[in-house]
Amino acid sequence: MSKTGIIILAAGSSSRMGELKQLMMYKNKTFLQHIIIEAKNAFLYPVICVTGYQSDLISKNISGMESSIVYNENWSEGMGSGISAGIKQLMLSDADSVILAVSDQPFVSSDLFETMIAWKDQSGKGIVACSYAGTLGTPVLFRKEYFNWLKSLNGNQGAKSIVKLNLPDVCPVEFEKGSVDIDTIQDYEKLIFEIE
């Protein structure tokens, strides 16, 4: 049976927000806790959280949630270094595909993860990327043949570069609410206002 793991990128300093968005509350959980719970509900394994800025604080928030924490000492260089750190840890497991996720997309769900895996199996494609707002983005699934590509990322070079270079091997999955990410306090207030 195919095994899919997940790498949750939670290393950034949330400079535009002014506080750690990974730890901001939404529906009685932090954003990061929400993604981990949804990953577990979709039976993703291993669940790897890549930390950087304020790593101790973030690690404490998710202690006891059975996720592996990988500290990326080069977090300030950008997302590429975090993906590389996470994939090195994932490659120690028997996972044959991986989903890359960020911690500030509040509408990511276990249903979405399960749909991505189903499309991977049905399409035979090596990459399954979420489609929203006229672009392809996170969460994004890569089969094992892309692990070495992901491992070689560094600095600000994200996984989108790999997606763009391999478009014939990409299966898009509609995720309309994927465009909702929380970058500023106004984004957060709008999100909270909508659920009240």
Side-chain angles (χ1 to χ4, degrees):
M1 186 173 148
S2 160
K3 285 191 175 175
T4 303
I6 185 169
I7 295 170
I8 304 166
L9 301 165
S13 64
S14 315
S15 54
R16 278 189 285 170
M17 178 66 77
E19 62 179 285
L20 277 177
K21 58 186 173 185
Q22 300 94 317
L23 303 187
M24 295 177 85
M25 298 299 292
Y26 177 61
K27 293 187 176 177
N28 302 317
K29 297 181 285 288
T30 64
F31 283 135
L32 185 52
Q33 288 170 346
H34 162 75
I35 299 281
I36 293 172
I37 290 165
E38 296 303 316
K40 288 183 175 295
N41 288 344
F43 302 104
L44 302 181
Y45 184 84
V47 176
I48 296 168
C49 288
V50 178
T51 65
Y53 181 76
Q54 297 275 13
S55 177
D56 291 349
L57 207 57
I58 289 170
S59 300
K60 192 174 167 188
N61 179 254
I62 56 174
S63 68
M65 294 190 78
E66 294 170 33
S67 60
S68 299
I69 296 167
V70 174
Y71 174 66
N72 173 27
E73 60 186 21
N74 301 314
W75 67 267
S76 61
E77 293 175 9
M79 196 177 273
S81 62
I83 294 169
S84 177
I87 205 79
K88 284 172 188 168
Q89 177 74 23
L90 183 106
M91 288 169 83
L92 301 174
S93 75
D94 59 354
D96 55 23
S97 56
V98 63
I99 292 174
L100 300 182
V102 291
S103 57
D104 65 342
Q105 284 180 303
F107 295 107
V108 165
S109 67
S110 57
D111 285 349
L112 176 67
F113 292 145
E114 286 165 2
T115 299
M116 292 173 73
I117 292 165
W119 276 107
K120 175 201 70 165
D121 294 339
Q122 286 169 30
S123 70
K125 302 274 191 184
I127 301 172
V128 178
C130 287
S131 166
Y132 46 85
T135 190
L136 295 169
T138 54
V140 56
L141 179 151
F142 292 91
R143 286 185 189 266
K144 197 171 194 170
E145 57 262 36
Y146 288 100
F147 285 6
N148 282 326
W149 285 46
L150 293 166
K151 194 168 83 169
S152 70
L153 291 174
N154 55 50
N156 246 336
Q157 183 189 28
K160 200 166 213 173
S161 58
I162 299 172
V163 173
K164 284 180 175 172
L165 285 170
N166 295 279
L167 286 175
D169 198 27
V170 176
C171 173
V173 169
E174 192 67 38
F175 176 36
E176 204 176 307
K177 288 190 167 179
S179 59
V180 179
D181 63 355
I182 310 303
D183 283 330
T184 65
I185 203 74
Q186 288 80 11
D187 295 339
Y188 181 63
E189 285 170 352
K190 187 176 174 212
L191 176 74
I192 299 305
F193 180 71
E194 281 174 0
I195 62 166
E196 284 176 350

